Each structure stands twice: as C-alpha cells, then as structure tokens.
Amino acid sequence: MALYAIGDLHLSLGSDKPMDVFGGAWVGYVDKLREGLSVIGPEDTTVLLGDLSWALDLNGAREDFAMIAAIPGRKIIVKGNHDYWWTTATKFYRFCEENGFPDLYLLNNNCYFYNGIALTGTRGWFFEEDAPDGSHNDKIFKRELLRLEASLRAAGDTPEKLCFLHYPPRYRGYECPEILALLERYGVKECCYGHLHGSSHRLAIEGVHHGVTYRLCAADYTNFAPIRLR
C-alpha cells in the first residue's frame, strides 16, 4: 500500500498534439510514462496533479483516460490549466461509468483519505494568470482560495494533511501569500505541485518553508515516474 504523486502527463492519444515535438526528455514520453507508472499496485493511491490530457472535451479525452484508468488502484485528479476537458463532477463520473473507467476521483472542494492522512488540494494560482497590469483576476483567484479552504476544512481535525496543487505556490521570485497562509493555517505538512517544465525546473523551490515541505512532481522532472510520498 503506497501513496504516489505525478503531474503533467500531457497525453494526446486521441489527437495529434504529442509532447514529443518539444524534444529532449519528452521524446517517447508515453512509453516512459507506462514504464514509470508500472510500479503502482492495486492497493495504491495516486494523485495526478493536472494537465493530464490535451483534449478539449471528455469525448476527445477517452483514449487518454483509458490509459489513466489502467493505472492500478485509486486515482485522484487535480485540475490543471490545460485540462480543457474538465467539466462537472456529475458529467465526469457518468463518462467514467459509461466507458468502464473505475477508481477515478476528482479533488475539487473536497478531500480524500489515505491511511489516516488527509489528501487536499485544488488547481491553485500562478503569476501567469495575472492581468497585464499585474493585478489578479480576482473572481477566479478568490474562487481558487475558497476551493482550497473547502478542501482543507473537509479534512477536519485529521492531524496529517497533504496538499496537491497544479500551480506552484512558491517560485523563485514569486509567491502566492494567500495560498501559503492557508497551508500554514491548516497545518499542511507537505505540498506537491506540477506545471513547471524544462528550463523552469531550475526555478522551482523545494524543501521546508514555515513547516511545509514543498515538492515538484511534474512528469518531466521526475523522469516520468511517480514520486512515492508514503
């Protein structure tokens, strides 16, 4: 029984937008993912940190989710900025039922539990989402804060809380103080995030900050293998 995390699979099995075109580590990335994900067993839980499929809707994402559903065990999904297929939970679970995709769960205004540990999270926020004048899109930003706090509150008095975001809440030269404050207020022990690729890896901030351990789990950073957290 193990807990894993990985983000940014960027699958494109049902369309023509493979990441191989970027070269480098992305060449042959689907085969690398299949090999890396093969360590996961049926009793395990894997948190997927967004940007899973390039598809624009669920029908277009069918082949990508077939691959994701084939990962053994429970799969918990966080929304990424490129997950255009994302829809309501009702539509997503109907899609999974109709296509025989078991054990897929959305992490959105809620939380899940693994061996007494609360698994919380949301998409998050990043400076890329700021308006040209440097201001936030307040409506979307405040919604993300509400979603994160709803998830953290759903954990109740669980002593150990982990948080899973797509966007990094800390980045060299940038912080999102509102998200960092929520993580610290609710006693989050560890925060995993994705989104950063290629040359941006060197700008990622990992390690302990104000009692929270931060970890980058983007697929091309982890050599297309999930990170075992527990």
Side-chain angles (χ1 to χ4, degrees):
M1 185 175 180
L3 174 65
Y4 292 97
I6 186 172
D8 306 270
L9 306 187
H10 284 295
L11 297 174
S12 183
L13 300 177
S15 60
D16 189 23
K17 198 173 181 180
M19 296 292 286
D20 305 75
V21 298
F22 292 101
W26 288 102
V27 174
Y29 75 105
V30 173
D31 290 335
K32 293 177 184 178
L33 281 169
R34 287 195 172 103
E35 181 178 356
L37 295 168
S38 67
V39 301
I40 300 171
E43 302 301 318
D44 299 337
T45 293
T46 303
V47 184
L48 301 166
L49 306 181
D51 282 6
L52 304 184
S53 168
W54 281 111
L56 299 179
D57 55 37
L58 283 173
N59 286 332
R62 185 174 289 106
E63 291 187 49
D64 297 335
F65 274 104
M67 178 174 167
I68 293 168
I71 301 170
R74 179 173 58 161
K75 282 77 63 176
I76 298 173
I77 297 170
V78 174
K79 184 180 183 180
N81 61 304
H82 291 302
D83 285 322
Y84 305 117
W85 55 266
W86 188 279
T87 183
T88 65
T90 298
K91 291 180 179 178
F92 177 76
Y93 291 126
R94 184 186 305 126
F95 164 80
C96 291
E97 183 178 359
E98 290 172 349
N99 288 278
F101 298 155
D103 302 319
L104 296 176
Y105 303 92
L106 300 181
L107 182 53
N108 190 44
N109 298 312
N110 58 351
C111 83
Y112 298 91
F113 294 89
Y114 167 86
N115 200 24
I117 302 170
L119 310 179
T120 70
T122 188
R123 185 188 69 165
W125 189 262
F126 201 50
F127 74 89
E128 293 172 346
E129 303 290 352
D130 288 349
D133 63 359
S135 64
H136 292 307
N137 182 325
D138 283 339
K139 183 177 180 180
I140 298 174
F141 177 55
K142 289 176 180 177
R143 187 181 301 147
E144 282 302 301
L145 292 177
L146 288 171
R147 286 173 175 159
L148 178 57
E149 185 157 23
S151 181
L152 291 166
R153 292 179 67 179
D157 58 0
T158 304
E160 186 169 4
K161 301 179 184 71
L162 306 186
C163 183
F164 300 89
L165 304 171
H166 176 67
Y167 285 127
R170 302 178 65 231
Y171 184 91
R172 297 194 189 282
Y174 172 81
E175 287 187 347
C176 185
E178 295 89 344
I179 289 180
L180 297 179
L182 283 175
L183 300 183
E184 294 167 25
R185 185 189 315 159
Y186 283 88
V188 170
K189 300 297 184 184
E190 189 166 352
C191 176
C192 297
Y193 61 89
H195 185 66
L196 301 180
H197 302 304
S199 61
S200 294
H201 291 163
R202 64 184 175 84
L203 300 177
I205 297 178
E206 297 189 285
V208 180
H209 177 72
H210 291 183
V212 184
T213 299
Y214 293 88
R215 189 191 297 260
L216 173 59
C217 298
D220 61 324
Y221 184 74
T222 67
N223 198 27
F224 302 94
I227 297 296
R228 181 166 181 171
L229 303 176
R230 298 291 187 275

